[in-house]
Amino acid sequence: MAKTNPGRFFEDYTLGQVIEHAVPRTVGAGERALYHALYPARHALYSSDEFARASGLPAAPLDDLAAFHVVFGKTVPDVSLNAVANLGYGEGRWLKPVYAGDTLRSSSEVIGLKQNSNGKTGVVYVRTRGTNQRDEVVMEYVRWVMVRKRDVDAPAPEAVVPELAKVMDPKDLVIPEGLDFTNYDFAQAGETHRWGDYEIGETIDHVDGVTLEEAEHMMATRLWQNTAKVHFDATFRPDGQRLIYGGHIISLARALSFNGLANAQMIVGLNGGAHANPAFSGLTVKAWSEVLDKAETSAPGVGAIRLRLVATRGGAPFELRGDDGKYLPDVLLDLDYWALMPV
Amino acid sequence: MAKTNPGRFFEDYTLGQVIEHAVPRTVGAGERALYHALYPARHALYSSDEFARASGLPAAPLDDLAAFHVVFGKTVPDVSLNAVANLGYGEGRWLKPVYAGDTLRSSSEVIGLKQNSNGKTGVVYVRTRGTNQRDEVVMEYVRWVMVRKRDVDAPAPEAVVPELAKVMDPKDLVIPEGLDFTNYDFAQAGETHRWGDYEIGETIDHVDGVTLEEAEHMMATRLWQNTAKVHFDATFRPDGQRLIYGGHIISLARALSFNGLANAQMIVGLNGGAHANPAFSGLTVKAWSEVLDKAETSAPGVGAIRLRLVATRGGAPFELRGDDGKYLPDVLLDLDYWALMPV
Amino acid sequence: MAKTNPGRFFEDYTLGQVIEHAVPRTVGAGERALYHALYPARHALYSSDEFARASGLPAAPLDDLAAFHVVFGKTVPDVSLNAVANLGYGEGRWLKPVYAGDTLRSSSEVIGLKQNSNGKTGVVYVRTRGTNQRDEVVMEYVRWVMVRKRDVDAPAPEAVVPELAKVMDPKDLVIPEGLDFTNYDFAQAGETHRWGDYEIGETIDHVDGVTLEEAEHMMATRLWQNTAKVHFDATFRPDGQRLIYGGHIISLARALSFNGLANAQMIVGLNGGAHANPAFSGLTVKAWSEVLDKAETSAPGVGAIRLRLVATRGGAPFELRGDDGKYLPDVLLDLDYWALMPV
């Protein structure tokens, strides 16, 4: 019997199935430092234990996106090894901050299945949950991927497409216990703009750019124990290019968004996301944001802001789609998320 | 007097001489994270403190090969600065796991000397020991290198070639105190194959590949404070290439072997190893393994497995040597080691 | 109102102004490991907690230059975003070691202003201080940069040029509390040469070289949260090259100087420094040092040594300036600092 993991094919998934993903991972000071080395991350709550304490948390948590990457990375061998395309994300929520010393696990429940009309592939919908060593769910999100069938003659399962919220209701966002921005230090955070200063519809060009490097995206992707061959093996694609993990672009764009959104401290909801075009080493990534919505929260001094975060490989900011409704070729990422800011 | 280290030449070694190597090094959470960023390492015992505790250890140790690299790196300025070739390893044993906060030192005893017939070089055999801050030996191994003479007219020492075991007797392997695999969680570890599922002679193609990058191999090699110029200075070799530290290939191949050997958790013995061909940036490394032997151990639920681990730069798996008995040009590494698995 | 940081222009600075820089940063085991991965750093006091304890410190501090980079990085958005040139450093002192868990902040006081005769730019002098979470100043230094005016017609401020010491008086150097080199272990430190073995005027060729990589200098510079576009964005300069952060060259040269100056353990004073020529990926950096002065200190077994550290991109060692008095094209860095050694 072959001992290596062939990955799952479309017919290996059944509705309601729960997959426990390997490998548990303890995170700490090393992952935090590497996150700062790999991305121009500067949000004060994740940079300074003192700033986090002044905001009511016990210490600076691991960056929310790093927690996402760790949870996501574990799903790759079970969910996307035979994926043709990563179609979308939704209904993401961060439920508990992750601290140094925490050990994360992931599991995914199959919540939808739909064979494509060509009979060769199908779409699998999973709800993935990350849990810590106390069995607390630290985050959850839905992801759907197109997966190849092993046997094109295998019968199609009954089609079930889950109804997903287009946007997380701000009432459902979970604010970390104790979070309090009433004594927020704007000077130390880096910008004076508070929640009240942002208007729905406002756009922000984050100005800075970062040129992608093979060693950097590979180290980042490996750090999250993501095993997809296409990111690491230059002989895998016919063109000899290593496709960059979409999450690398998410983290890069989020870090770039500090310049204009320094006070959008915590990510608590992921409404949706699309990797509009593939990214490769050598491209220079820039980012812009659009304020999509705002909401009050029950936590002292804390407001919620819904942001579109777009990463591009150049091109003018604020341009997203062409006349045909399709993403422009320079657009790499279109992400829709909720963050917490001082009001 | 020149203050820089010229390295030792063949006539500077004497039988029985013990060399204390500089520089002591404290390891911790940073080295662990970097190991996960530089190699696709996923063995659960080294990834999760919780998994390690469930296996009877106080926490996840530093990867066994990282411990080896730290111990090895210190020997370079004293042993291999003027080496012409790294000829082999043998009689390696891991005696104590290394944990965050431990400080490692190295010393080497000269156990063999043999001048070559050309009179210009000689072979030096050293037994190197790594110790922690409690003076406990954490690992030991024998290495032999060909070293230049400073003065070709210097008299040859009496030739002494140590008799080395071709294979470590499994009875001599040291199992970490408390190690217990009776409640081993195969789902979290990533594969269901246990010790009993592997047959002597069985071969495993680890399938995945990683393309080598200058920044990655240099960061890895520097992290172990290995100072050999040839790894870092593109002007050192006439061809302008930086030779990749052989240990980088060992760690890469071992990490790739997770796919098929996820439960070969701990390395406890190094029977031998050869860097069959040099490795350079841009090559894509793949790996395959062969089960060479199996043995029971005294620890609960723990079996020992002897593995050949081969790293290649492409080419078909399971091909090692040509008709002339020499390693094929695509073979980078041929390593023979003992690992511990759940029975 | 644009929400991104446009940086300060010359007319935005006023004499006596104190700028509190964002973002506070907690450092620890991750930053330490990354420093060892990015630079061939081997000084024992920073590598081993045990060695540091034997020298009277509670643990191995963060490398002095890493502390400098963290403090410096914070100043970039406020001081050098619109800088035309980084003109010099001086009057630098390390006042308290930085340990794992410390959180660093920076502030700068404007101590001099002088508009250039072209009316388009001016020189700004700032004294920057880094403080820890107990409000203790951990280091301070003066830096002067040439900054663009926003409006060439803005009136020139009264010219004030601070008088800076060309060299820090060794009496003003601060020796970490408890530092004691009387039981210094030269074998573990890596070299036998003590303070008494170095003569004023002596020069040391550090022999080793490191070829610069984009991924490495970007990771290093990002780790210190330095945001200058020119280091990260290949589209920023017309020639498509990323200018390497001068501090990367300082750390690289200092690490290379281990070979010949292994016992110059702690940097306590920065007398001056110039980035003589720009550095780019692909160059191979070498280093040499010159002993400029020596002084006794009040700490047991501890002497001070004043060193010139020169980084080059090749060329013969010990050559610094041409007949015209200008730095030779191969010289990258000319740094003048005080270090502490065992006597």
Side-chain angles (χ1 to χ4, degrees), chain A residues 11-53:
Chain A
E11 58 266 48
D12 298 327
Y13 296 94
T14 56
L15 202 69
Q17 181 183 16
V18 175
I19 304 168
E20 298 288 340
H21 307 297
V23 176
R25 170 72 172 277
T26 305
V27 294
E31 283 75 11
R32 184 158 94 175
L34 270 162
Y35 201 83
H36 283 99
L38 292 163
Y39 305 108
R42 297 181 68 217
H43 287 90
L45 200 68
Y46 301 86
S47 178
S48 165
D49 284 344
E50 304 295 326
F51 193 96
R53 279 178 206 127

Side-chain angles (χ1 to χ4, degrees), chain B residues 81-329:
Chain B
L81 215 59
N82 298 311
V84 183
N86 198 11
L87 298 174
Y89 306 103
E91 294 197 355
R93 293 195 303 168
W94 280 258
L95 303 168
K96 285 264 178 191
V98 175
Y99 294 104
D102 281 358
T103 299
L104 301 184
R105 286 170 293 123
S106 295
S107 67
S108 296
E109 182 183 351
V110 179
I111 60 167
L113 287 171
K114 184 170 185 300
Q115 183 165 311
N116 286 323
S117 53
N118 64 13
K120 294 180 183 165
T121 56
V123 179
V124 180
Y125 296 78
V126 293
R127 188 179 304 275
T128 296
R129 288 189 177 88
T131 50
N132 65 19
Q133 70 280 13
R134 289 178 298 277
D135 285 327
E136 297 163 336
V137 181
V138 298
M139 78 160 305
E140 60 178 18
Y141 64 91
V142 172
R143 177 186 177 212
W144 51 107
V145 291
M146 192 188 301
V147 179
R148 270 195 294 274
K149 292 179 72 176
R150 184 188 291 107
D151 171 10
V152 293
D153 296 326
E158 190 190 352
V160 175
V161 175
E163 278 193 42
L164 298 173
K166 283 229 178 296
V167 179
M168 299 302 290
D169 188 324
K171 284 187 212 72
D172 294 333
L173 300 175
V174 175
I175 298 182
E177 206 182 310
L179 190 74
D180 181 343
F181 283 159
T182 49
N183 294 314
Y184 192 90
D185 186 333
F186 289 86
Q188 287 295 302
E191 291 182 353
T192 57
H193 328 304
R194 52 178 71 232
W195 182 81
D197 295 330
Y198 290 86
E199 286 176 35
I200 296 172
E202 180 176 353
T203 53
I204 302 152
D205 177 4
H206 299 300
V207 181
D208 303 307
V210 171
T211 305
L212 298 168
E213 290 292 324
E214 301 284 14
E216 291 187 349
H217 79 79
M218 291 207 302
M219 286 182 70
T221 308
R222 243 185 245 120
L223 186 60
W224 320 125
Q225 296 176 311
N226 180 327
T227 59
K229 293 178 180 66
V230 73
H231 307 317
F232 302 106
D233 180 347
T235 67
F236 190 73
R237 283 167 56 106
D239 66 1
Q241 294 204 85
R242 278 162 272 181
L243 180 71
I244 292 180
Y245 165 47
H248 187 61
I249 306 301
I250 295 177
S251 278
L252 192 47
R254 159 72 174 163
L256 288 170
S257 79
F258 177 92
N259 198 346
L261 282 166
N263 296 318
Q265 291 283 357
M266 303 195 92
I267 301 185
V268 287
L270 177 67
N271 300 309
H275 298 293
N277 285 291
F280 302 102
S281 180
L283 299 180
T284 297
V285 176
K286 301 202 167 191
W288 57 269
S289 293
E290 179 184 355
V291 179
L292 296 178
D293 202 358
K294 293 170 67 178
E296 297 185 344
T297 83
S298 59
V302 179
I305 187 165
R306 184 180 156 212
L307 295 159
R308 176 196 298 279
L309 172 61
V310 176
T312 71
R313 44 175 286 175
F318 314 134
E319 298 189 0
L320 192 63
R321 294 175 187 272
D323 295 336
D324 56 1
K326 291 188 181 160
Y327 284 115
L328 292 169

Side-chain angles (χ1 to χ4, degrees), chain A residues 3-5 24 26 222 234 242, chain B residues 37 47 49 193 202 211 213 259:
Chain A
K3 292 211 164 57
T4 48
N5 175 23
T26 305
R222 241 185 246 120
R242 279 162 273 181
Chain B
S47 178
D49 284 344
H193 328 304
E202 180 176 353
T211 305
E213 290 292 324
N259 198 346

Side-chain angles (χ1 to χ4, degrees), chain C residues 250 253-254 257 287-289 307-311 333-335 337:
Chain C
I250 295 178
R254 159 72 174 163
S257 78
W288 56 268
S289 292
L307 294 158
R308 176 197 298 279
L309 172 62
V310 176
L333 170 75
D334 179 15
L335 197 80
Y337 70 103

Side-chain angles (χ1 to χ4, degrees), chain A residues 223-243:
Chain A
L223 186 60
W224 321 125
Q225 295 176 311
N226 180 327
T227 59
K229 293 178 180 65
V230 73
H231 306 317
F232 302 106
D233 181 347
T235 67
F236 190 72
R237 284 168 56 106
D239 66 3
Q241 294 204 85
R242 279 162 273 181
L243 180 70

